[in-house]
Amino acid sequence: MPAANHYDVIIIGTGAGGGTLAYRLAPSGKRILLLERGDYVPREKDNWSTRAVNLEAKYNTKESWRDKDAKPLHPHTNYYVGGNTKFYGAALFRLRKEDFGELRHHGGFSPAWPISYDELEPYYNRAEELYQVHGQRGADPTEPPASKPYPFPAVSHEPRIQQLSDDLKALDLKPFHVPLGIMLDEKNPRTSRCIRCNTCDGHPCLIYAKADAQVVCVDPALQHSNVTLLTGAYVERLETSPTGREISKVVLKRNGSREEYQGNVVVVSCGAINSAALLLRSASDKHPKGLANSSDVVGRFYMGHTNGVVLALSKCPNPTVFQKTLAVNDFYFGDKDFNFPMGHISFVGKLDGVTLSAGAPAIAPGWTLDLMGKHSLDFWLTSEDLPDPANRVTLNRDGEIVLSYTPNNLEAYNRLVKKLEQVMQQQTKCSAHGHDCHVGLFARNLFLGQRIPLAGVAHQNGTIRFGRDPKTSALDPDCKAHDVDNLYVVDGSFFPSSGAVNPALTIMANALRVGERILERLR
Ligand SMILES: Cc1cc2nc3c(=O)[nH]c(=O)nc-3n(C[C@H](O)[C@H](O)[C@H](O)COP(=O)(O)OP(=O)(O)OC[C@H]3O[C@@H](n4cnc5c(N)ncnc54)[C@H](O)[C@@H]3O)c2cc1C
Ligand code: SF4
């Protein structure tokens, strides 16, 4: 009989990586322990309140980190069962095939991955099935080859977005439908689980119709009697056997007390920043620079994308309810004016006056925030930031997380904004206002300034990179630590480069891949 606190596999963190892995391992009958520092997101009307979510940041962690100048940093991140997928916009993109190779950017090089796109492709299929992705193959000009169709049809555009799509097509661009993990059945609206509401991106789904890691992975995994979840379980430290080659204890705090657990396999999946912090906190005689860190890469190469929200204001109102249906990848790898990758254009959920007041937007003369919210098209821009060893997670003397980051490759982002402006200035379709309709573009972000600031860590990745060489990577190509025989990492930490599409589907697909390796090992 195994001891009560001994498990075959311990998974720390229940988000896109940890939750998906738990789902994959659950049917094996192995004893699996899921450790999650947060609780379930409470189901309450505030889930769908833009005031509670965007203005009061009700569900954000209240934790304070530091930036490189030791100033307090209040991260926009969430600690709950399901991790940040509870709040995500469920835009579930595959990385491009080229993102797995080395790519030359204006600001430097984006390094190759130790696995190819083709190796991950079957797992992308499975992740798309699991997360019920609605999309249309063949429309995205940079789409990688896929061996299966999307499991569900694309989510339709509402009239204003359809009009934009038609306009963009008239300019010889190839707008397409964002692949989305929402449980929408447009043919049967009466029975559709998703009701296509205006509080999806950034909000938890009150009626569990978003394919998040809690709803589609953790809850089903817990139907298996061999799977146990402990919430409110903050993992403080991992300890090793005397050789340093094996995790011997997972040490956590729960209800104010210290508890210890053992696992034959231990998987860290706390999100790229917290996973790096956990390994650094677990330094010991055998691992003086931090656990599994003989390479000194743990915490380094932090990436988070260069993201920004750009409002396009028109005289015509934009009555769209669910706006995040259209994307443009024509500039992803560059164009004739700029022969370097620029990135990805899509949408955030429809912004309203309340949400706009959470930042400090450039107010258009004569417009109130409410009016801006009623007339804006709210674009979301993503450009790749490049891995830099100086962009890193460390711990200060008080054990606080320090996130040091200097943006790079900004020309790509600036060019992408310019492209969007040029494209929007060519909009001619409005029958009521003619050319005057699209009066201007106002760049803002949900917080301050032009771009999403450092606290916007939604796309965090890269801090425990995988690779073939133990001198330059912490994980091997199966995401097992080079230095420790029973330690794996399956959150966004493993990315050696980040591409310029949203990261979650790649994290999910990789967790399914690593899950297979772990199952082979346990057999
Ligand atoms: C508002 C918002 C919108 C987004 N929209 C999209 C989108 O449309 N498409 C997309 O692809 N991505 C999107 N993302 C990003 C996406 O949510 C993340 O890429 C993804 O959730 C990361 O998965 P992960 O497993 O690395 O970490 P997470 O999902 O963050 O999971 C980490 C888990 O570990 C737990 N944890 C942390 N530390 C500890 C500890 N010490 N002990 C125990 N547990 C711990 C956390 O509570 C959390 O549950 C969005 C994110 C946000 C915030
Ligand atoms: S009902 Fe649909 S659109 Fe609304 S939050 Fe849920 S999944 Fe998103």
Side-chain angles (χ1 to χ4, degrees):
M1 280 283 283
N5 60 356
H6 189 109
Y7 290 82
D8 293 308
V9 184
I10 297 180
I11 303 172
I12 308 165
T14 58
T20 308
L21 179 69
Y23 179 87
R24 180 67 187 89
L25 300 185
S28 67
K30 299 287 176 191
R31 273 169 58 81
I32 297 162
L33 177 64
L34 278 171
L35 298 173
E36 170 54 55
R37 72 188 288 175
D39 205 333
Y40 280 84
V41 177
R43 294 188 74 197
E44 54 194 11
K45 277 175 138 181
D46 273 353
N47 288 181
W48 279 350
S49 154
T50 52
R51 179 169 295 279
V53 171
N54 296 325
L55 200 59
E56 294 161 5
K58 177 170 184 175
Y59 302 103
N60 275 6
T61 176
K62 304 295 175 276
E63 212 175 34
S64 183
W65 301 346
R66 301 276 163 181
D67 68 11
K68 64 179 173 196
D69 302 318
K71 295 209 183 85
L73 183 70
H74 298 287
H76 302 153
T77 194
N78 308 279
Y79 298 144
Y80 292 97
V81 177
N84 280 291
T85 67
K86 287 303 296 175
F87 297 85
Y88 74 169
L92 292 175
F93 282 94
R94 299 178 178 210
L95 281 174
R96 319 290 90 176
K97 190 174 169 93
E98 295 83 345
D99 287 324
F100 289 75
E102 184 178 274
L103 274 179
R104 191 155 161 257
H105 282 249
H106 185 268
F109 283 92
S110 166
W113 287 36
I115 59 169
S116 66
Y117 171 75
D118 294 342
E119 282 169 81
L120 202 56
E121 202 280 331
Y123 302 98
Y124 272 130
N125 278 332
R126 285 188 222 166
E128 284 169 350
E129 275 159 23
L130 181 56
Y131 283 86
Q132 308 188 27
V133 182
H134 294 52
Q136 185 194 359
R137 300 257 192 251
D140 170 356
T142 62
E143 179 182 66
S147 56
K148 283 192 176 173
Y150 278 112
F152 295 95
V155 175
S156 66
H157 299 314
E158 289 172 49
R160 177 70 187 93
I161 303 299
Q162 184 59 52
Q163 182 202 341
L164 177 67
S165 175
D166 295 344
D167 284 359
L168 295 175
K169 280 185 184 156
L171 294 173
D172 274 343
L173 296 174
K174 297 185 183 61
F176 62 94
H177 291 264
V178 172
L180 286 165
I182 58 173
M183 302 174 196
L184 181 67
D185 180 356
E186 296 193 71
K187 287 216 172 89
N188 299 295
R190 204 172 55 78
T191 50
S192 169
R193 192 153 159 189
C194 166
I195 58 165
R196 192 176 180 133
C197 71
N198 62 348
T199 46
C200 194
D201 196 8
H203 297 252
C205 180
L206 180 54
I207 54 173
Y208 284 7
K210 192 193 290 192
D212 65 47
Q214 177 223 319
V215 171
V216 303
C217 288
V218 176
D219 289 354
L222 289 171
Q223 298 295 313
H224 295 260
S225 58
N226 52 308
V227 181
T228 306
L229 166 69
L230 296 183
T231 56
Y234 172 72
V235 177
E236 283 186 328
R237 205 180 146 71
L238 304 176
E239 292 186 359
T240 62
S241 58
T243 63
R245 292 291 320 179
E246 204 184 41
I247 308 289
S248 55
K249 265 185 219 160
V250 175
V251 182
L252 59 87
K253 262 238 169 82
R254 195 160 70 104
N255 302 325
S257 318
R258 183 187 145 108
E259 296 177 13
E260 291 179 359
Y261 294 86
Q262 280 107 44
N264 295 342
V265 169
V266 174
V267 185
V268 170
S269 193
C270 303
I273 294 171
N274 274 292
S275 285
L278 174 57
L279 298 193
L280 294 173
R281 274 202 303 274
S282 304
S284 63
D285 290 352
K286 289 283 174 200
H287 296 271
K289 286 186 280 194
L291 185 60
N293 194 21
S294 64
S295 59
D296 195 26
V297 304
V298 171
R300 294 186 186 272
F301 301 105
Y302 170 81
M303 292 168 280
H305 284 151
T306 304
N307 284 124
V309 174
V310 175
L311 300 192
L313 291 184
S314 313
K315 282 184 183 164
C316 275
N318 174 14
T320 308
V321 174
F322 187 94
Q323 182 175 243
K324 210 178 163 94
T325 57
L326 180 140
V328 175
N329 272 342
D330 295 79
F331 311 114
Y332 195 90
F333 293 116
D335 74 351
K336 61 177 175 14
D337 303 331
F338 184 70
N339 195 15
F340 297 101
M342 281 180 261
H344 166 73
I345 299 174
S346 66
F347 278 93
V348 285
K350 186 72 205 81
L351 300 179
D352 61 6
V354 174
T355 305
L356 287 169
S357 69
I363 302 233
W367 294 66
T368 62
L369 290 177
D370 268 342
L371 200 62
M372 279 171 65
K374 289 197 173 93
H375 287 253
S376 58
L377 285 164
D378 316 286
F379 290 96
W380 173 250
L381 271 55
T382 304
S383 295
E384 183 165 349
D385 56 343
L386 301 172
D388 174 351
N391 285 344
R392 63 187 297 202
V393 176
T394 51
L395 301 172
N396 66 14
R397 278 203 204 131
D398 300 325
E400 289 171 320
I401 289 175
V402 180
L403 185 58
S404 308
Y405 182 79
T406 307
N408 61 43
N409 201 26
L410 286 180
E411 188 61 15
Y413 175 80
N414 295 336
R415 293 283 187 139
L416 191 63
V417 175
K418 281 269 163 317
K419 282 284 162 201
L420 178 62
E421 284 176 6
Q422 282 167 8
V423 166
M424 291 306 290
Q425 272 148 12
Q426 292 179 61
Q427 298 268 293
T428 57
K429 198 85 192 260
C430 172
S431 52
H433 306 109
H435 284 278
D436 281 350
C437 186
H438 306 284
V439 292
L441 275 178
F442 299 91
R444 72 173 291 270
N445 58 51
L446 290 171
F447 316 100
L448 278 173
Q450 296 268 311
R451 285 177 276 115
I452 300 292
L454 183 59
V457 293
H459 289 190
Q460 57 182 279
N461 69 84
T463 53
I464 314 178
R465 47 174 28 195
F466 77 157
R468 294 189 188 281
D469 184 352
K471 291 201 184 69
T472 56
S473 57
L475 307 174
D476 73 11
D478 289 341
C479 289
K480 187 191 84 59
H482 288 296
D483 299 343
V484 183
D485 296 327
N486 64 343
L487 174 65
Y488 291 77
V489 179
V490 296
D491 55 29
S493 312
F494 76 98
F495 285 31
S497 63
S498 61
V501 286
N502 314 50
L505 189 76
T506 301
I507 299 171
M508 294 156 179
N510 183 61
L512 294 174
R513 183 183 73 93
V514 174
E516 238 160 61
R517 303 292 177 278
I518 293 175
L519 284 176
E520 281 160 19
R521 171 186 176 136
L522 292 173
R523 270 182 221 125

